[in-house]
Amino acid sequence: MTKQQSVPNESANNRTGGGRDQHAQPEAPPVSGPDAKLLVRLAELEQENARLQTALSSARAGCDDLLTVTALNEDLRNAFDALERSRAAHVDSERRLRAILDSAIGHAILTLSPNGRVTSWNPGAVRILGWTEEEVLGQPVDILFPPEEAAAGVPDALRVRALAEGRIQEERSFSHRDGSRVWGALTILPLQGDEEGFLWILHDRSDERQMEETLAAARRRAADILDSIDEALVGLDRDYRVICQNRRAEQLDHQPLSAMRGRRLWEVWPQFAGSDLEALCRKTMTERQPTSIEKRFDGEGTTLWLEIRFLPTAEGVGCFFRDITMRKRAEEEARASHERAVKILESISDAFYAVDHDWRFTYINRKAEQIWGRSRDTLLGLRLWEAFPKALGSESLEAQKQAAREGREMTVEVISPVLGDWVEVSIYPNADGLSVYFRDITARRQAQQALLQAKETAEAADLAKGKFLAAASHDLRQPLQALLLFVDVLKPHVQGSQGLNALMHLGRGLDALKELLDSLLDMSRLDAGVVQPNIENVSVAPLFDHIAAAYRPVAAAKGLELHMLSCNAAARTDRTLLTRMVRNLVENALRYTESGRIDIECRRAGGRLLIEVRDTGIGIPPDHLESIWEEFHQVGNPERDRNRGLGLGLAIVRRLSQLLNHPVDVQSKPGQGTSFVIALPLGRTIEAPATSAEAATAGRGRFAVVVDDDAIVLLGLETIFREWGYEVLVAGSAKKAVEGLSRMGRRPDLILADYRLREGQFGTDAVARIRALYDDPGSAAIPGLILTGETGPDCERDAAAHGLGIIHKPVTPRQLGHALGELMGGT
């Protein structure tokens, strides 16, 4: 019984691990495949053994049952041995598989769990992707993808595709541990059997990819280079089949490469077949020598010129086509232009020749042949001095050399070394040499010489005229000045209406004479060009006050209203000449206005200053608007009524307008009136003290010194000053004035002097000498006024340099009083 009981105990020991202690084998992990079947069989045997032991214990069976249990234990032992062998084989298989995976360093091999986490990681994956196995195991496979792809769910999509398709392969970019990118070829396989998940095999193609991109870039650059040339290129192989073409060729033949590739050249362009182009292409192919031709192709209403070149290449022949239609047209136009130029050069009246840079004749026209008396056929190709030895060292040849050296056009008038006459030579440098035109100007030079002599004669006459005008201006003004002064002096001493009436007519006659003389002399001065403007800032208000004071009494005498609308502005102008322009316009308005009013207005407009003189007179017919500016032209005065002047006032205005660059505009309606507008540049406003002519003519015992070398004028001035209440010292020279002042011992309040005195003395010097007698640094200089009949600018400049006022003879007492008021500031 004990023996029978020992067997089950042994079996029990085997089941409880006694067998493992005997063989000292470690517990093997669960296995799959064939080992799983053994485990199932072992479990069945253990269950049977347990059942038998139970039966044995309860029934205490005999010897047969013991044998059965022994056999079963033996079967169980054999099953354990088979399991151990299977486990050992499985471990060895795993070892060999691990060795294979570890040795595959060119590929990253990894497995993933069904939810996409890394479960294995080979050394190749470490090398390619950078992470160690410890760092990556259990991590989501998303870390291997660029962030944007991981965020877009690309890893999940790849797993879904692998399950659906069973196997997928593609190339894409992966993230290295250091942040760089790895380009790889990826294969994904779902795992089969009890192990679920995925097998990923990644081959690093970064270097191959870079090489492919480099090659692609090189191909693109080559294509860009070929596309950038202005020639069409078609490449042929040894069988004359098209293998490539650039963009220019596609534009030329209007066929893409896909439609041409593999076709022979003459299949693409049938017109090549049997032509000289096919012959040249075959010659290049066989002899390996470049050939070229220019070919014209005529289409419907179009003509195309191509320059075609065949060059041997490694593959066969390169056919280059260049569109030269524009060049051919330019050549034809140049040829036609040359023919036209030759026709022109042959028909012109000037002689013409051309020389190259070596001074050899390249062209001579028919006129040059006639002048030289030489055939051009005998001259062409000769140097200029070989054909004409006298030309060496001549002024004409030196001018041509200078033009060639400086590269500029020149025209000279010289004595021809060949002809001996005067010629005008026009020289034009060009890329090929010189073009030279020449003509005989002997007659013109003779005429010029005659004109020069006439000009010199005219200038001498003009100089004499100027001297005469200067003398006449002074000499004519002197007696008229005296008459004007004495008429005013006589007024208090004439009694009775008859005498006053005669005196009035005398005054009017003198005024008319003064006006006529002023106009004639002004026109002469302007025509002679001796009037030089003195441009300065001129305030308009004093000018308007002066004109109003002078002409308001005249207007009132005719029953007219004279209105002034001044402005606080200044103009850049000549004070005297502008005053003359406005005075002439006012006088013109007074002559031609019988009723109504005359307006003188100043205003700013468009950055300029406008002075307008407006009247309600007879107006100007439209056909007279240009004629009124001519000398002696008068509207509505066929009888030449001298009360309306000589017709020089507007002519003087026009000349002064041109001299000062002050445009004058006129608008008029017959029967309604006329408007003249002077446009002046704005100037800087000058604050000037108010003046008073009345205060100046009220002498109130002030002391005036008058210097003039004309006794009559001097007497008239003395008389008028005494009438005004001045104490007066008169002198014919500066010396006598100084002597008289020395005797009197009184400082003058005013000095009035004629400009040009006897013995070459000037009134400005006289004023300076008188001022020197009373030189006091603490007091202002004695006011001085120059009264002159001079017409040139020298007098005005001299007076301005001495700080003196100036007034031109002949002057009325009213004008003199106004000038004194401006000079003395109303004191």
Side-chain angles (χ1 to χ4, degrees):
M1 178 63 69
T2 305
K3 184 177 181 181
Q4 290 175 344
Q5 291 175 346
S6 64
V7 175
N9 292 334
E10 183 180 352
S11 298
N13 290 335
N14 288 336
R15 289 194 304 273
T16 58
R20 288 193 297 272
D21 294 338
Q22 181 180 0
H23 296 286
Q25 294 290 337
E27 184 177 354
V31 296
S32 60
D35 293 339
K37 294 179 180 180
L38 290 175
L39 291 175
V40 172
R41 178 58 180 161
L42 180 60
E44 292 173 353
L45 289 175
E46 286 179 345
Q47 290 175 3
E48 183 66 25
N49 186 29
R51 191 169 52 251
L52 288 174
Q53 286 181 3
T54 303
L56 182 61
S57 299
S58 62
R60 296 191 181 273
C63 182
D64 290 337
D65 292 333
L66 182 59
L67 292 174
T68 299
V69 172
T70 302
L72 289 174
N73 281 331
E74 185 64 28
D75 289 342
L76 183 59
R77 187 179 294 111
N78 291 334
F80 269 115
D81 290 341
L83 179 60
E84 290 298 329
R85 287 193 300 272
S86 175
R87 285 175 175 171
H90 180 71
V91 171
D92 185 59
S93 175
E94 284 187 343
R95 180 184 58 77
R96 288 196 302 271
L97 178 60
R98 188 68 185 183
I100 292 171
L101 293 177
D102 291 347
S103 64
I105 61 174
H107 293 74
I109 302 174
L110 56 149
T111 57
L112 305 180
S113 64
N115 63 353
R117 293 186 177 272
V118 178
T119 56
S120 68
W121 186 263
N122 78 327
V126 177
R127 185 186 69 81
I128 294 172
L129 297 171
W131 281 279
T132 65
E133 188 173 9
E134 292 77 8
E135 292 175 324
V136 81
L137 287 179
Q139 295 291 329
V141 76
D142 296 21
I143 64 173
L144 305 182
F145 288 81
E148 64 274 9
E149 293 189 0
V154 172
D156 294 337
L158 291 175
R159 294 199 299 275
V160 172
R161 281 182 54 202
L163 288 172
E165 300 175 16
R167 174 191 178 95
I168 61 173
Q169 287 182 311
E170 64 177 45
E171 293 190 5
R172 64 173 44 255
S173 177
F174 295 90
S175 290
H176 192 273
R177 185 179 185 278
D178 61 7
S180 61
R181 298 296 173 94
V182 177
W183 186 264
L186 176 65
T187 302
I188 303 178
L189 297 168
L191 292 175
Q192 303 294 327
D194 296 334
E195 288 287 340
E196 293 184 354
F198 301 91
L199 174 66
W200 282 33
I201 303 173
L202 176 63
H203 174 53
D204 184 3
R205 293 195 64 248
S206 299
D207 292 341
E208 298 172 22
R209 171 80 170 184
Q210 184 177 2
M211 184 175 296
E212 290 171 357
E213 291 178 348
T214 302
L215 289 174
R219 293 192 188 97
R220 286 195 300 271
R221 286 195 297 272
D224 290 342
I225 291 172
L226 292 177
D227 288 341
S228 66
I229 62 176
D230 62 352
E231 288 183 293
L233 166 64
V234 177
L236 306 177
D237 62 13
R238 298 282 181 169
D239 292 327
Y240 302 97
R241 297 183 185 278
V242 176
I243 57 176
C244 67
Q245 74 168 356
N246 67 352
R247 186 180 296 113
R248 188 73 181 92
E250 185 173 331
Q251 295 170 351
L252 187 64
D253 56 41
H254 305 291
Q255 298 184 63
L257 179 60
S258 58
M260 299 179 59
R261 194 190 304 274
R263 298 170 63 191
R264 287 186 172 85
L265 186 64
W266 30 89
E267 292 174 349
V268 178
W269 291 298
Q271 61 267 37
F272 275 34
S275 68
D276 49 356
L277 296 176
E278 180 184 354
L280 288 174
C281 183
R282 291 185 180 277
K283 180 178 180 181
T284 299
M285 184 73 79
T286 55
E287 299 181 7
R288 315 305 293 166
Q289 293 294 326
T291 58
S292 64
I293 189 174
E294 292 183 356
K295 194 75 173 177
R296 173 174 174 166
F297 298 90
D298 293 318
E300 295 182 2
T302 61
T303 297
L304 177 67
W305 277 92
L306 293 179
E307 178 189 47
I308 305 172
R309 296 184 297 125
F310 299 102
L311 301 177
T313 65
E315 293 84 0
V317 171
C319 307
F320 292 85
F321 303 82
R322 183 193 298 272
D323 186 348
I324 59 171
T325 305
M326 296 300 294
R327 193 191 78 191
K328 284 293 186 180
R329 288 177 182 171
E331 290 175 354
E332 291 175 358
E333 292 176 0
R335 185 164 47 253
S337 176
H338 175 72
E339 292 174 356
R340 288 194 300 270
V342 169
K343 289 180 180 178
I344 293 172
L345 291 174
E346 291 300 320
S347 63
I348 61 175
S349 59
D350 287 350
F352 172 83
Y353 63 86
V355 293
D356 59 18
H357 293 295
D358 199 29
W359 297 94
R360 297 183 183 276
F361 285 112
T362 57
Y363 183 80
I364 299 171
N365 73 348
R366 186 178 297 109
K367 184 66 174 180
E369 280 186 310
Q370 295 172 356
I371 291 178
W372 286 336
R374 302 268 300 270
S375 170
R376 52 185 154 190
D377 294 335
T378 64
L379 298 175
L380 292 175
L382 295 178
R383 286 186 174 89
L384 192 150
W385 48 83
E386 291 174 349
F388 302 105
K390 293 182 179 180
L392 279 173
S394 67
E395 188 177 355
S396 174
L397 182 57
E398 291 304 314
Q400 294 177 55
K401 288 181 178 180
Q402 181 182 354
R405 184 171 58 252
E406 298 177 1
R408 64 183 181 91
E409 301 174 3
M410 291 182 62
T411 298
V412 295
E413 294 182 2
V414 295
I415 296 290
S416 169
V418 179
L419 305 175
D421 293 327
W422 280 96
V423 293
E424 180 186 75
V425 184
S426 298
I427 311 160
Y428 300 91
N430 55 60
D432 300 321
L434 291 179
S435 298
V436 182
Y437 298 80
F438 65 95
R439 65 177 66 179
D440 188 337
I441 59 168
T442 303
R444 192 182 79 189
R445 291 286 295 195
Q446 292 172 348
Q448 286 177 344
Q449 187 64 31
L451 286 174
L452 180 62
Q453 292 176 354
K455 179 174 178 294
E456 291 174 352
T457 302
E459 288 177 348
D462 190 58
L463 181 61
K465 174 186 174 183
K467 292 180 179 179
F468 167 76
L469 287 174
S473 174
H474 185 270
D475 295 342
L476 289 175
R477 291 173 190 268
Q478 288 291 85
L480 182 59
Q481 178 64 73
L483 289 173
L484 288 170
L485 293 174
F486 279 114
V487 166
D488 214 66
V489 170
L490 281 175
K491 286 180 181 179
H493 305 287
V494 175
Q495 302 296 325
S497 60
Q498 187 173 358
L500 290 174
N501 189 48
L503 190 61
M504 179 189 69
H505 286 296
L506 175 61
R508 288 182 178 179
L510 290 175
D511 286 341
L513 178 61
K514 173 183 179 300
E515 181 183 340
L516 294 177
L517 179 61
D518 285 344
S519 297
L520 287 172
L521 292 176
D522 285 346
M523 285 294 298
S524 299
R525 292 170 63 215
L526 290 169
D527 288 340
V530 298
V531 178
Q532 298 297 323
N534 178 32
I535 304 299
E536 59 181 338
N537 291 307
V538 176
S539 295
V540 177
L543 183 146
F544 271 44
D545 293 340
H546 175 77
I547 291 177
Y551 291 103
R552 189 167 278 130
V554 180
K558 290 190 67 174
L560 301 175
E561 297 180 20
L562 182 64
H563 293 271
M564 308 289 293
L565 184 58
S566 184
C567 58
N568 185 24
R572 293 288 297 168
T573 185
D574 181 292
R575 184 189 310 272
T576 303
L577 299 183
L578 175 63
T579 302
R580 184 62 168 160
M581 290 179 69
V582 178
R583 287 172 62 94
N584 281 11
L585 293 177
V586 173
E587 290 173 0
N588 185 76
L590 287 169
R591 289 193 187 99
Y592 292 97
T593 304
E594 298 301 329
S595 63
R597 59 188 288 165
I598 296 172
D599 294 285
I600 307 172
E601 181 181 346
C602 166
R603 63 182 181 274
R604 293 183 177 89
R608 297 186 302 174
L609 187 65
L610 304 182
I611 295 179
E612 181 178 8
V613 177
R614 216 169 33 247
D615 64 54
T616 58
I618 63 174
I620 304 171
D623 56 339
H624 284 250
L625 286 175
E626 282 300 321
S627 304
I628 59 173
W629 306 108
E630 298 174 1
E631 296 90 339
F632 308 111
H633 182 88
Q634 292 178 307
V635 177
N637 188 20
E639 299 85 5
R640 307 299 296 168
D641 181 3
R642 288 299 164 238
N643 288 327
R644 295 189 177 182
L646 293 175
L648 295 176
L650 295 182
I652 293 173
V653 169
R654 167 61 64 87
R655 281 168 168 75
L656 291 176
S657 166
Q658 295 169 345
L659 179 66
L660 297 173
N661 193 23
H662 295 348
V664 180
D665 179 62
V666 57
Q667 295 182 357
S668 182
K669 292 183 179 180
Q672 298 184 28
T674 303
S675 168
F676 290 92
V677 179
I678 307 173
L680 306 95
L682 281 168
R684 179 171 53 83
T685 303
I686 302 172
E687 296 295 335
T691 62
S692 173
E694 290 79 5
T697 54
R700 298 191 296 271
R702 283 181 290 193
F703 181 31
V705 176
V706 180
V707 181
D708 198 306
D709 60 356
D710 189 292
I712 298 178
V713 173
L714 190 62
L715 179 58
L717 289 172
E718 181 184 15
T719 304
I720 197 69
F721 269 93
R722 292 192 184 281
E723 290 287 335
W724 286 344
Y726 283 86
E727 291 188 20
V728 186
L729 170 64
V730 295
S733 66
K735 180 181 179 181
K736 291 182 178 180
V738 170
E739 291 174 352
L741 287 170
S742 299
R743 289 193 300 270
M744 297 179 66
R746 182 180 177 184
R747 185 179 188 273
D749 299 299
L750 168 69
I751 305 171
L752 177 67
D754 187 18
Y755 180 67
R756 194 174 295 277
L757 303 173
R758 290 193 177 97
E759 298 178 357
Q761 300 296 312
F762 294 96
T764 51
D765 297 330
V767 174
R769 290 183 63 181
I770 295 171
R771 283 175 170 175
L773 292 176
Y774 307 96
D775 188 12
D776 184 0
S779 60
I782 301 172
L785 182 66
I786 296 296
L787 180 64
T788 180
E790 294 289 324
T791 58
D794 294 340
C795 175
E796 295 182 7
R797 284 196 291 265
D798 194 7
H802 286 79
L804 303 174
I806 187 169
I807 187 170
H808 292 276
K809 297 177 182 179
V811 59
T812 65
R814 184 179 65 254
Q815 292 170 335
L816 178 59
H818 188 79
L820 292 175
E822 289 184 340
L823 178 70
M824 302 180 69
T827 58

